[in-house]
Amino acid sequence: MKQALMILLGISILIPTAVSFAGVCGDVNDDSIINILDIIYLIDYKFRGGPEPAIMESADVNSDGIINILDIIYLIEYKFKGGAEPYCHETGTMTDIDGNTYRTIKIGDQWWMAENLEVIHYRNGEAIPNVTDAVIWSSLTTGAYCEYNNDINNVDTCGRLYNWFAVNDGRNIAPEGWHVPTDAEWQTVIDYLGGIAVAGGKMKEKGTTHWNIPNSGATNESGFRALPGGLRTATWQNGYFAELGENAHFWSSSEEKSDVAWRRLLQYN
């Protein structure tokens, strides 16, 4: 999808930094065996205040990015009903120049951030301007960020919104070792997840805690756990906020022509 100067959420693809999953998927109690004790351990952890798994990723046996009762059911099905083997994603963490730490996920041969960017400085330490005024925002030709509805309470869930000029700035909005993905890199992950008709659902957080009903097709099978952070519109639309809860818009670094870049969009319906 081509869009000129649309203000979208930041996301980055990486050369991996810290990879954290090195255990046996389903071995929740870390004794090198997958058995009934792992199921009991996970029940105790989730519902009785028991200790957390030594390797948290080992408990996400259905690879949906969330540890919950569905993982317990999955393990029961696997051990006693001939169900599918546990499959845990390789995950890691990275930290930006402001000290924000993000979860990362391996999808195919690519590593992606699995949380939205929050950074307010370029990689060289220079500040990205925070522009709240709609008129000023809509006339910018330089980099800027804002919070959705200029409300900092939206950052913890949805990250921040960045304009194209921040994305395209040579000082780099992405943390060290990372870059804003090209449109071809977006296509690679879409192809890996089975194509345009199904990839979106596999990349969205499940349920309707953050997504509007019906959140069609959402399984988060990829572990990407995309959230519907909305957007802020550009020059010809007066810088208004829209689509929180409805859509997740992601920049690519690929320009189609001057100041016209490609984006990717996940929708609630």
Side-chain angles (χ1 to χ4, degrees):
M1 182 176 290
K2 189 168 60 180
Q3 186 67 46
L5 302 180
M6 184 65 78
I7 311 310
L8 311 176
L9 276 168
I11 193 77
S12 299
I13 186 174
L14 69 88
I15 300 167
T17 48
V19 179
S20 64
F21 181 64
V24 177
C25 188
D27 182 20
V28 182
N29 65 356
D30 198 28
D31 66 355
S32 301
I33 303 171
I34 302 173
N35 56 23
I36 186 67
L37 297 179
D38 297 292
I39 297 169
I40 294 170
Y41 194 103
L42 192 51
I43 291 171
D44 283 342
Y45 165 63
K46 289 303 299 180
F47 301 109
R48 299 173 184 170
E52 66 179 34
I55 302 173
M56 287 297 292
E57 289 80 7
S58 67
D60 183 20
V61 295
N62 63 358
S63 292
D64 67 354
I66 306 169
I67 299 172
N68 58 21
I69 192 170
L70 297 180
D71 297 293
I72 296 169
I73 294 170
Y74 194 104
L75 273 180
I76 292 171
E77 293 280 344
Y78 166 62
K79 287 304 298 179
F80 302 110
K81 299 182 180 181
E85 290 188 10
Y87 172 69
C88 299
H89 292 290
E90 285 188 76
T91 65
T93 58
M94 56 80 64
T95 303
D96 67 27
I97 194 169
D98 295 325
N100 302 305
T101 298
Y102 306 89
R103 181 174 174 266
T104 63
I105 189 81
K106 189 177 184 182
I107 306 175
D109 293 327
Q110 296 175 321
W111 281 87
W112 293 83
M113 290 174 63
E115 299 178 71
N116 290 322
L117 198 64
E118 301 179 16
V119 72
I120 60 174
H121 292 86
Y122 292 109
R123 190 186 299 173
N124 69 354
E126 294 182 39
I128 306 169
N130 178 18
V131 176
T132 58
D133 182 84
V135 174
I136 295 173
W137 179 273
S138 65
S139 62
L140 286 169
T141 57
T142 54
Y145 80 88
C146 63
E147 290 90 27
Y148 191 94
N149 275 343
N150 295 318
D151 183 352
I152 199 167
N153 293 314
N154 287 318
V155 173
D156 282 348
T157 300
C158 295
R160 289 187 162 94
L161 301 170
Y162 303 91
N163 69 4
W164 166 249
F165 302 105
V167 172
N168 199 38
D169 195 290
R171 291 170 289 183
N172 291 304
I173 194 172
E176 187 71 35
W178 293 71
H179 62 272
V180 178
T182 65
D183 191 64
E185 287 169 328
W186 277 113
Q187 191 61 49
T188 295
V189 75
I190 289 167
D191 292 342
Y192 177 80
L193 293 174
I196 198 74
V198 296
K202 293 179 181 181
M203 297 177 79
K204 293 192 295 180
E205 181 189 66
K206 295 169 66 174
T208 55
T209 299
H210 299 110
W211 285 92
N212 287 0
I213 295 171
N215 196 18
S216 302
T219 67
N220 196 35
E221 183 180 319
S222 68
F224 189 78
R225 203 177 181 184
L227 296 172
L231 56 83
R232 193 175 194 182
T233 59
T235 304
W236 62 93
Q237 294 173 313
N238 299 320
Y240 69 85
F241 295 96
E243 302 182 11
L244 186 70
E246 293 184 0
N247 297 324
H249 299 261
F250 298 110
W251 280 116
S252 83
S253 61
S254 300
E255 279 189 290
E256 197 271 338
K257 57 184 179 181
S258 180
D259 293 340
V260 180
W262 292 90
R263 61 173 167 144
R264 295 289 176 165
L265 168 64
L266 302 176
Q267 298 175 300
Y268 75 104
N269 59 356

